[in-house]
Amino acid sequence: YVKVPLVIASKIDALFIENLQQIGTNSLAIVKSYGFSEILKSKYPNIKFVEVTTINEGLQLVEKGKVFGFVDTLTTVGYQIQNNYLGQLKISAKLNDSIELSIATRNDEALLNSIFNKAIDDIPAYTKQKILNNWININYQKEINYSLINKILFALIVIILIATLVYRQYLSHNPFL
Protein backbone atom coordinates (compact mmCIF):
# COMPACT_ATOMS: atom_id res chain seq x y z
CA TYR A 1 0.00 0.00 0.00
CA VAL A 2 3.01 2.30 0.28
CA LYS A 3 6.15 2.16 -1.84
CA VAL A 4 9.27 3.55 -0.12
CA PRO A 5 12.55 4.01 -2.05
CA LEU A 6 15.91 2.79 -0.80
CA VAL A 7 18.54 5.48 -0.22
CA ILE A 8 22.18 5.78 0.81
CA ALA A 9 23.15 7.87 3.83
CA SER A 10 26.69 9.26 3.78
CA LYS A 11 28.78 11.95 5.43
CA ILE A 12 27.56 15.50 4.93
CA ASP A 13 30.47 16.39 2.61
CA ALA A 14 29.92 13.49 0.17
CA LEU A 15 28.84 14.35 -3.36
CA PHE A 16 25.46 13.24 -4.71
CA ILE A 17 25.64 9.74 -6.23
CA GLU A 18 23.94 9.40 -9.63
CA ASN A 19 24.50 5.63 -9.88
CA LEU A 20 26.05 2.92 -7.73
CA GLN A 21 29.06 2.58 -10.05
CA GLN A 22 30.35 5.78 -8.38
CA ILE A 23 30.72 3.86 -5.11
CA GLY A 24 33.76 2.10 -6.62
CA THR A 25 35.75 0.24 -3.98
CA ASN A 26 33.98 1.93 -1.07
CA SER A 27 31.77 -0.21 1.14
CA LEU A 28 28.14 0.19 2.17
CA ALA A 29 26.61 -0.93 5.45
CA ILE A 30 23.29 -2.77 5.40
CA VAL A 31 21.18 -4.41 8.12
CA LYS A 32 21.76 -8.15 7.95
CA SER A 33 18.25 -9.42 8.60
CA TYR A 34 16.44 -7.19 6.10
CA GLY A 35 14.91 -8.91 3.07
CA PHE A 36 16.31 -6.41 0.60
CA SER A 37 19.90 -6.94 1.79
CA GLU A 38 20.22 -10.24 -0.10
CA ILE A 39 18.53 -8.75 -3.17
CA LEU A 40 21.00 -5.82 -3.25
CA LYS A 41 24.00 -8.11 -2.76
CA SER A 42 23.01 -10.22 -5.75
CA LYS A 43 22.02 -7.21 -7.87
CA TYR A 44 25.30 -5.34 -7.15
CA PRO A 45 28.00 -8.03 -6.77
CA ASN A 46 30.88 -5.53 -7.24
CA ILE A 47 29.91 -3.50 -4.18
CA LYS A 48 31.26 -4.56 -0.79
CA PHE A 49 28.37 -4.71 1.68
CA VAL A 50 29.15 -4.71 5.40
CA GLU A 51 26.40 -6.33 7.44
CA VAL A 52 25.32 -4.66 10.68
CA THR A 53 22.74 -5.66 13.26
CA THR A 54 21.00 -2.29 13.71
CA ILE A 55 20.33 0.94 11.84
CA ASN A 56 22.28 2.97 14.40
CA GLU A 57 25.29 0.66 14.08
CA GLY A 58 25.31 1.24 10.32
CA LEU A 59 24.94 5.01 10.63
CA GLN A 60 27.68 5.16 13.26
CA LEU A 61 30.04 3.32 10.89
CA VAL A 62 29.31 6.00 8.30
CA GLU A 63 29.82 8.79 10.82
CA LYS A 64 33.20 7.34 11.87
CA GLY A 65 34.27 6.91 8.24
CA LYS A 66 34.55 3.11 8.41
CA VAL A 67 32.11 2.70 5.49
CA PHE A 68 31.11 5.14 2.77
CA GLY A 69 27.37 4.81 3.28
CA PHE A 70 24.41 3.02 4.80
CA VAL A 71 21.51 1.62 2.75
CA ASP A 72 17.94 1.60 4.06
CA THR A 73 14.52 3.06 3.29
CA LEU A 74 14.00 6.79 2.81
CA THR A 75 11.68 7.00 5.80
CA THR A 76 14.01 5.15 8.18
CA VAL A 77 17.19 6.96 7.16
CA GLY A 78 15.46 10.35 7.03
CA TYR A 79 14.02 9.90 10.51
CA GLN A 80 17.36 8.81 12.00
CA ILE A 81 19.30 11.65 10.37
CA GLN A 82 16.80 14.28 11.49
CA ASN A 83 16.74 13.01 15.06
CA ASN A 84 20.29 11.78 15.66
CA TYR A 85 22.71 12.84 12.91
CA LEU A 86 21.59 16.28 11.75
CA GLY A 87 24.58 18.15 10.31
CA GLN A 88 26.71 14.99 10.25
CA LEU A 89 25.02 12.72 7.70
CA LYS A 90 22.82 13.23 4.66
CA ILE A 91 21.03 11.25 2.00
CA SER A 92 23.40 11.23 -0.96
CA ALA A 93 21.69 8.76 -3.29
CA LYS A 94 18.28 7.38 -4.16
CA LEU A 95 18.40 3.85 -5.52
CA ASN A 96 16.09 2.53 -8.24
CA ASP A 97 15.01 -0.13 -5.76
CA SER A 98 12.16 0.31 -3.29
CA ILE A 99 10.28 -1.54 -0.59
CA GLU A 100 6.54 -2.08 -0.84
CA LEU A 101 4.91 -1.95 2.57
CA SER A 102 1.86 -4.13 3.08
CA ILE A 103 -0.49 -5.58 5.68
CA ALA A 104 -0.70 -9.32 6.27
CA THR A 105 -3.66 -11.22 7.64
CA ARG A 106 -4.02 -14.80 8.74
CA ASN A 107 -4.75 -17.18 5.88
CA ASP A 108 -7.77 -18.59 7.71
CA GLU A 109 -9.36 -15.10 7.97
CA ALA A 110 -10.55 -14.57 4.38
CA LEU A 111 -13.18 -11.99 5.44
CA LEU A 112 -10.59 -9.91 7.30
CA ASN A 113 -8.29 -10.07 4.28
CA SER A 114 -11.12 -8.87 2.03
CA ILE A 115 -11.92 -5.98 4.40
CA PHE A 116 -8.28 -4.84 4.49
CA ASN A 117 -7.95 -5.03 0.70
CA LYS A 118 -11.12 -2.99 0.16
CA ALA A 119 -10.05 -0.39 2.74
CA ILE A 120 -6.60 0.00 1.19
CA ASP A 121 -7.99 0.12 -2.37
CA ASP A 122 -10.37 2.92 -1.34
CA ILE A 123 -7.51 5.19 -0.22
CA PRO A 124 -6.44 7.43 -3.12
CA ALA A 125 -2.73 7.54 -4.00
CA TYR A 126 -2.44 11.24 -3.10
CA THR A 127 -3.84 10.52 0.38
CA LYS A 128 -1.29 7.75 0.91
CA GLN A 129 1.47 10.14 -0.14
CA LYS A 130 0.11 12.86 2.15
CA ILE A 131 0.10 10.45 5.11
CA LEU A 132 3.68 9.42 4.32
CA ASN A 133 4.74 13.07 4.02
CA ASN A 134 3.19 13.86 7.42
CA TRP A 135 5.29 11.17 9.04
CA ILE A 136 8.56 12.09 7.43
CA ASN A 137 9.59 15.31 5.78
CA ILE A 138 12.84 15.12 3.85
CA ASN A 139 14.40 17.85 1.75
CA TYR A 140 15.82 15.88 -1.20
CA GLN A 141 18.40 17.87 -3.19
CA LYS A 142 20.80 17.10 -5.98
CA GLU A 143 23.84 19.26 -5.44
CA ILE A 144 26.75 20.07 -7.69
CA ASN A 145 29.93 21.30 -6.07
CA TYR A 146 30.85 24.48 -7.95
CA SER A 147 33.96 25.32 -5.92
CA LEU A 148 36.36 23.61 -8.36
CA ILE A 149 34.69 25.32 -11.34
CA ASN A 150 35.01 28.70 -9.61
CA LYS A 151 38.72 28.12 -8.89
CA ILE A 152 39.41 27.17 -12.51
CA LEU A 153 37.56 30.24 -13.81
CA PHE A 154 39.49 32.48 -11.41
CA ALA A 155 42.80 30.97 -12.55
CA LEU A 156 41.86 31.49 -16.21
CA ILE A 157 40.98 35.14 -15.58
CA VAL A 158 44.33 35.70 -13.81
CA ILE A 159 46.22 34.04 -16.67
CA ILE A 160 44.39 36.18 -19.27
CA LEU A 161 45.14 39.37 -17.30
CA ILE A 162 48.82 38.48 -16.98
CA ALA A 163 49.04 37.57 -20.68
CA THR A 164 47.39 40.88 -21.60
CA LEU A 165 49.84 42.85 -19.46
CA VAL A 166 52.82 40.98 -20.91
CA TYR A 167 51.56 41.54 -24.46
CA ARG A 168 51.05 45.28 -23.82
CA GLN A 169 54.54 45.51 -22.36
CA TYR A 170 55.92 43.73 -25.42
CA LEU A 171 54.10 46.13 -27.75
CA SER A 172 55.37 49.17 -25.86
CA HIS A 173 58.99 48.05 -26.39
CA ASN A 174 58.46 47.24 -30.08
CA PRO A 175 56.90 50.36 -31.66
CA PHE A 176 57.20 48.95 -35.21
CA LEU A 177 54.55 46.26 -34.65
Side-chain angles (χ1 to χ4, degrees):
Y1 63 93
V2 175
K3 197 171 187 176
V4 183
L6 295 176
V7 296
I8 297 176
S10 64
K11 286 191 165 191
I12 198 81
D13 59 349
L15 296 176
F16 185 81
I17 300 165
E18 289 290 332
N19 63 55
L20 286 183
Q21 304 308 334
Q22 291 175 277
I23 299 292
T25 59
N26 293 317
S27 55
L28 297 174
I30 192 165
V31 176
K32 182 179 182 178
S33 60
Y34 285 1
F36 63 81
S37 64
E38 292 304 318
I39 294 169
L40 290 177
K41 285 181 195 176
S42 64
K43 190 172 180 179
Y44 305 104
N46 296 332
I47 295 176
K48 181 184 175 197
F49 288 98
V50 175
E51 292 184 335
V52 294
T53 55
T54 66
I55 297 163
N56 277 330
E57 180 184 354
L59 292 172
Q60 286 172 2
L61 288 177
V62 175
E63 184 182 29
K64 293 175 183 175
K66 295 186 177 182
V67 295
F68 173 79
F70 172 73
V71 180
D72 209 313
T73 63
L74 175 65
T75 52
T76 303
V77 171
Y79 177 82
Q80 289 296 324
I81 288 174
Q82 288 177 351
N83 288 297
N84 301 316
Y85 299 95
L86 197 61
Q88 300 160 348
L89 301 179
K90 70 174 184 175
I91 294 174
S92 60
K94 178 180 173 276
L95 306 181
N96 292 328
D97 304 283
S98 60
I99 300 300
E100 294 185 14
L101 301 178
S102 57
I103 296 175
T105 59
R106 292 174 35 157
N107 59 2
D108 62 344
E109 293 285 350
L111 181 60
L112 181 61
N113 187 40
S114 175
I115 292 168
F116 269 115
N117 285 334
K118 286 179 184 177
I120 291 170
D121 290 341
D122 284 346
I123 301 172
Y126 69 87
T127 303
K128 292 177 189 176
Q129 188 62 46
K130 186 176 176 183
I131 291 168
L132 184 61
N133 290 345
N134 285 339
W135 280 97
I136 186 120
N137 182 18
I138 295 175
N139 187 9
Y140 178 73
Q141 298 177 347
K142 279 188 176 183
E143 292 183 14
I144 297 175
N145 187 349
Y146 291 103
S147 65
L148 180 60
I149 295 170
N150 290 338
K151 290 175 185 176
I152 291 171
L153 286 174
F154 179 75
L156 283 173
I157 290 170
V158 169
I159 290 170
I160 290 170
L161 287 174
I162 292 171
T164 303
L165 291 173
V166 168
Y167 184 69
R168 284 183 175 208
Q169 187 69 22
Y170 174 75
L171 287 178
S172 69
H173 291 309
N174 294 317
F176 298 109
L177 293 177

